[in-house]
Amino acid sequence: MRERTAERPLTMTEVETLEGVRLAAGGRTAGGERVWRGRWARVGIIFAVWTVLAFFFTGQLYYTRLLSERPMTWRDAASQQFIYPYLWAVGTIITLWLANRFPLEGARWLRHLLLQLVFATAFVFVISGSFHVIYHLLYVQGPGKTYAAWTTLQWIIFNSSENYGIYGLLLLLNQVFRVLRRFREGELRASRLQTQLTRAQLEALKMQLQPHFLFNTLHSISALLHRDPDAADRMIARLGDFLRLTLDNSGAQEVSLRKELEFLTCYLEIERVRFQDRLTTRLDVDPGALDAPVPNLILQPIVENAIRHGVAQTRGAGRVEISAKRENGSLRIRVRDNGPGLRAITRPDDGLREGLGLSNTRARLEQLYGAAHRFELENAPDGGLLVTLEIPAAAGAPA
C-alpha cells in the first residue's frame, strides 16, 4: 500500500487549479443558485480526478497480482483501491477550504502556519486511520484476526510522511494559485483603468472639437448677419441639424461612415453658405465602405483644415474632394483641396503648424488604433493638400 500512496500527491495540481479558477471567477459575488451550481460542479470534478487515480491504482494492483502466485479479479482490486482516493477526495475539498480560510500570507501567516500544521496532523490521523479501519473490516477481519487499535496507529505513523506531503502540496499549490490569481486580477484592473483613461481622453478630445467648430460657425454667422441675413438664417438651420446629429451620437466613439458623412454634409452646407460660389465639393464613396466604422466627428476637422488653409487661401474657386473605399482590409479616406498645399501649414522651422482640429485627430487615432492606422499630409501631385486616413475596416459598424 505504501508504493501506491507515494504517487498520489502529483495529481493535486489539477485539483488546486479548480479551486484557483473558482476564486478568480469570484463565485461568492454571483447569484446564490449559480454559486451552488458551481460548487457542486467543482465537487464533481474533484471526485472525477480522484476516480481516475483510483482506476490507475486498481490497474497497478491488478496487474501486479496477476503476475504473482495470488492473482485477484479486477473487482476485488477496485474495491480495495477506491477507498483511499475517495477519502482524499473528501479531504481535498476540506483542505482547499482551510487553505483559503487560513492562507499562509499577510500579518497572520505564522499563526496560520501553526494552524495548518494542526489541521494536517488531524488529516493524517483521520484519513489514514479511516482507511486502515475500513480495510481491516472489509478484507482482514475474520477468525483469529480481530481488530487492534495499535495496528491502526502503526499504519498511521508508517504512512504519515506521505499524507503530510499531500496536505503540504495542497497548501503550496493553493498559495501559488493565489499569487497567480492576484497577478491576473492586477493585470485586469490595470487594463480596465487604461481603458477608462483612454475613453476619458477620447471624450475630452471630442468635446474640444465641438466648441471649436461651434465657435467658428457662430463667428461666420455673426459676419453674415447684417450683410446677408438669408444666408445667416440658412447657416443657423444647418447648424441646428449638425448639433442634432451630434447629440444623437454624443456617447459613441465610433459611428458608421454613412452617419459620419451625414455630419459632414451638414458642415459642408454651412461652409457653402459662407463661401457661396467659391466652394465646390465632391464625394466619391464606395458603397461597400458606408457601413465601415470610423471615429465619431473625424472628418469634419480634416475638411475644415482643407477649407481654412486651402479654399480660404485661394482667390479663385476652391475645391474639396472626399473619397473613401475599402482596400486590403482597411478603410482608406482621402481629403484633397486645391489650395497652396503643405506650405500653408509649414512653420519656419519646417515643422507642420497643425491647429486644434488636426492635432486632436492625430491623438484620437492614436488612442483608438495605435500603430494600426495611417494619417498623412502631403502635397497632391497636381497641387493642393492631400490628407490620407487609413484605419482597420471592421465587418460591421455602430448604428
Side-chain angles (χ1 to χ4, degrees):
M1 304 299 292
R2 185 175 178 84
E3 292 76 18
R4 171 175 54 79
T5 58
E7 296 292 326
R8 191 174 301 110
L10 297 178
T11 64
M12 290 302 99
T13 301
E14 291 114 313
V15 177
E16 184 56 18
T17 301
L18 299 174
E19 183 65 7
V21 171
R22 178 186 74 82
L23 292 170
R28 292 182 182 179
T29 63
E33 181 180 351
R34 195 160 119 194
V35 169
W36 281 109
R37 188 163 57 241
R39 287 175 180 172
W40 281 113
R42 288 188 295 274
V43 169
I45 294 174
I46 289 173
F47 270 88
V49 171
W50 280 107
T51 299
V52 171
L53 284 174
F55 274 110
F56 174 79
F57 296 140
T58 298
Q60 189 180 44
L61 177 61
Y62 172 76
Y63 288 108
T64 300
R65 295 290 294 273
L66 188 64
L67 300 175
S68 70
E69 296 178 355
R70 294 185 302 165
M72 61 168 38
T73 65
W74 181 274
R75 179 175 181 180
D76 289 340
S79 63
Q80 295 182 26
Q81 297 301 312
F82 268 70
I83 299 173
Y84 222 102
Y86 276 6
L87 286 173
W88 259 114
V90 176
T92 297
I93 298 170
I94 300 173
T95 301
L96 294 178
W97 181 83
L98 291 173
N100 287 289
R101 178 65 178 82
F102 304 100
L104 302 179
E105 58 187 24
R108 297 185 177 182
W109 73 269
L110 183 58
R111 178 182 176 184
H112 288 175
L113 179 61
L114 296 175
L115 282 174
Q116 294 294 351
L117 182 60
V118 173
F119 297 148
T121 302
F123 268 73
V124 168
F125 274 83
V126 172
I127 292 182
S128 193
S130 297
F131 170 79
H132 186 265
V133 171
I134 294 172
Y135 185 84
H136 182 89
L137 294 177
L138 292 178
Y139 303 105
V140 179
Q141 184 80 3
K145 296 182 179 180
T146 58
Y147 172 75
W150 68 268
T151 59
T152 297
L153 180 60
Q154 186 181 43
W155 173 268
I156 292 172
I157 296 173
F158 184 71
N159 289 279
S160 61
S161 61
E162 296 170 3
N163 287 284
Y164 273 117
I166 294 174
Y167 194 93
L169 182 61
L170 287 173
L171 290 183
L172 176 61
L173 292 175
N174 178 78
Q175 192 61 32
V176 169
F177 279 101
R178 286 175 69 90
V179 172
L180 291 176
R181 184 178 66 252
R182 283 198 298 270
F183 178 74
R184 290 195 300 268
E185 290 173 350
E187 284 188 325
L188 181 60
R189 282 194 296 270
S191 176
R192 287 175 177 171
L193 288 174
Q194 183 61 41
T195 300
Q196 292 170 358
L197 175 61
T198 299
R199 189 173 299 162
Q201 291 171 334
L202 288 170
E203 286 294 337
L205 291 170
K206 192 171 68 175
M207 291 304 295
Q208 286 178 0
L209 289 176
Q210 293 171 352
H212 174 71
F213 162 73
L214 184 61
F215 173 80
N216 289 342
T217 304
L218 290 177
H219 180 74
S220 298
I221 292 174
S222 176
L224 289 172
L225 194 59
H226 300 290
R227 180 165 51 88
D228 191 345
D230 292 337
D233 187 61
R234 290 196 303 274
M235 187 176 286
I236 291 173
R238 297 290 77 77
L239 176 62
D241 293 337
F242 183 88
L243 293 178
R244 176 182 55 79
L245 290 172
T246 302
L247 291 174
D248 287 343
N249 295 277
S250 59
Q253 286 298 341
E254 290 184 314
V255 296
S256 66
L257 179 60
R258 187 191 313 274
K259 183 69 69 175
E260 183 69 11
L261 291 176
E262 290 183 32
F263 298 152
L264 188 61
T265 299
C266 287
Y267 170 74
L268 289 174
E269 288 181 3
I270 291 172
E271 292 301 314
R272 275 194 290 269
V273 171
R274 175 186 171 194
F275 285 92
Q276 297 181 355
D277 295 337
R278 287 191 56 216
L279 173 63
T280 59
T281 60
R282 178 174 177 267
L283 288 176
D284 181 15
V285 180
D286 179 8
L290 289 174
D291 291 329
V294 296
N296 194 5
L297 296 178
I298 200 68
L299 292 181
Q300 183 270 327
I302 299 175
V303 174
E304 179 182 359
N305 181 78
I307 293 175
R308 181 179 178 184
H309 297 287
V311 176
Q313 303 297 323
T314 303
R315 292 187 177 182
R319 185 178 72 257
V320 176
E321 300 176 355
I322 302 103
S323 64
K325 65 177 180 178
R326 289 180 183 264
E327 190 172 279
N328 298 324
S330 297
L331 175 65
R332 179 177 295 175
I333 301 174
R334 285 180 170 172
V335 178
R336 179 176 176 179
D337 64 65
N338 64 337
L342 283 176
R343 63 184 176 86
I345 57 173
T346 301
R347 298 195 303 261
D349 59 357
D350 293 332
L352 292 182
R353 186 178 65 252
E354 295 182 352
L356 177 65
L358 289 184
S359 61
N360 276 8
T361 298
R362 286 190 185 276
R364 292 182 67 200
L365 291 170
E366 182 64 31
Q367 289 285 356
L368 282 169
Y369 307 109
H373 82 281
R374 183 164 71 98
F375 184 62
E376 296 179 351
L377 284 72
E378 58 185 334
N379 287 316
D382 54 350
L385 182 66
L386 175 63
V387 179
T388 301
L389 168 62
E390 193 170 315
I391 59 176

